[in-house]
Amino acid sequence: MNLCLQGEVAVVIGAASGIGRAIATAFLQEGAFVVAVDKAETVLEGIVAYVADVTDYAAIQRVADKVWATLGRCDHVVYSAGAGSGKYGFPFWNLEPSEWQSVLNVNLLGAVHTAHAFAPRMVEARRGTVLFLSSIAGQIGSQTDPPYSAAKAGVINFAQCAAKDLAPHNVRVNTICPGMIKTALNQSTWEAWNQLQPESERKTYEAWANEKISRVTPLNRWQEPEDIAALAVFLASEQAKNITGQTLNVDGGQVMHW
């Protein structure tokens, strides 16, 4: 599908692996010029890559400055960085309040840093799109990791605020919420759960995930990073020119609002 993104500049933050990498690849396949940003080095042919920590606002500002200085434009920004607490948070008092901050810093404040760094010049250009990756956990209050759920809920709300602010300047903002996807973050949830189980109750990652999928996902299958990427590039295109402020789930039907 030709989405007419040839020659446009897409900045993907959190592009070294998982969903972010799939999104960067999808933009490349659509002919866009991709700038990948991650705290780890991104190895992907055909991109410009910067190493930066999303929790460091000054570092993200420097990346934005480099993009405009070297390319003269930024058409699309995708925030795909994410991190969990690394613990099984049910009940929520299994975690200390002090363990929330790092999760909020990456998931929520990282998204805020990105918007602050990139949006002003997109306003000047009077065009562009911003996409935040949240999670269905931000809608259903997943008990497995309350800090992660709360942070992702914050991302959804902030995206709506940003969409309202940027709409008069022809800049669109949307959020995608993935469901069950094989990523390092998803696997860390299983690891945290598994460590708390008696030896006789422990399960392999595949067994745990497949059981959960069959229980909560009507389509009864994994979602893939490429599923998220396909929606991401569509939302960046002119075919989505009237879509802003929306939260779109790619979750196999897990979250249905009646």
Side-chain angles (χ1 to χ4, degrees):
M1 187 176 187
N2 185 356
L3 295 173
C4 300
L5 298 175
Q6 293 90 344
E8 298 195 350
V9 175
V11 177
V12 181
I13 297 178
S17 61
I19 294 171
R21 186 180 182 88
I23 292 173
T25 300
F27 271 107
L28 280 174
Q29 292 170 344
E30 291 294 332
F33 188 93
V34 177
V35 177
V37 184
D38 203 289
K39 67 177 183 180
E41 185 177 359
T42 306
V43 181
L44 192 61
E45 186 176 353
I47 66 166
V48 170
Y50 296 118
V51 175
D53 186 337
V54 297
T55 66
D56 183 348
Y57 178 39
I60 300 303
Q61 285 181 306
R62 288 193 293 271
V63 169
D65 290 341
K66 288 177 183 177
V67 170
W68 263 278
T70 57
L71 301 174
R73 62 189 291 181
C74 176
D75 304 290
H76 312 288
V77 176
V78 178
Y79 187 79
S80 186
S85 68
K87 294 190 175 182
Y88 190 66
F90 172 72
F92 70 84
W93 54 87
N94 277 348
L95 281 77
E96 294 295 327
S98 60
E99 294 176 297
W100 282 59
Q101 192 61 57
S102 62
V103 182
L104 293 171
N105 285 345
V106 173
N107 294 287
L108 179 54
L109 291 178
V112 173
H113 292 165
T114 298
H116 274 267
F118 284 89
R121 278 172 283 201
M122 298 176 86
V123 166
E124 291 177 5
R126 294 198 59 80
R127 69 182 308 273
T129 71
V130 179
L131 177 65
F132 296 113
L133 269 292
S134 181
S135 169
I136 59 170
Q139 298 181 58
I140 63 176
S142 173
Q143 294 166 285
T144 58
D145 196 342
Y148 180 79
S149 292
K152 289 301 190 180
V155 170
I156 292 170
N157 191 276
F158 173 63
Q160 293 169 343
C161 294
K164 292 174 183 177
D165 288 345
L166 293 171
H169 306 284
N170 195 37
V171 178
R172 297 186 291 107
V173 184
N174 289 293
T175 305
I176 297 178
C177 292
M180 285 287 287
I181 297 184
K182 289 182 182 179
T183 61
L185 183 58
N186 181 271
Q187 188 163 351
S188 71
T189 300
W190 159 76
E191 289 175 347
W193 172 85
N194 216 35
Q195 288 172 4
L196 294 177
Q197 307 310 306
E199 188 71 34
S200 61
E201 299 294 324
R202 292 183 179 180
K203 300 175 183 178
T204 66
Y205 176 50
E206 289 294 331
W208 171 84
N210 288 335
E211 180 181 295
K212 183 174 181 180
I213 288 169
S214 66
R215 187 175 70 251
V216 302
T217 306
L219 287 178
N220 196 26
R221 58 176 175 251
W222 284 101
Q223 288 75 68
E224 303 290 341
E226 290 74 19
D227 299 330
I228 314 303
L231 180 55
V233 292
F234 171 76
L235 289 172
S237 75
E238 278 297 298
Q239 295 194 39
K241 65 182 180 182
N242 281 313
I243 301 176
T244 195
Q246 301 305 303
T247 304
L248 298 101
N249 299 336
V250 183
D251 66 349
Q254 186 173 343
V255 178
M256 296 190 186
H257 297 288
W258 299 91

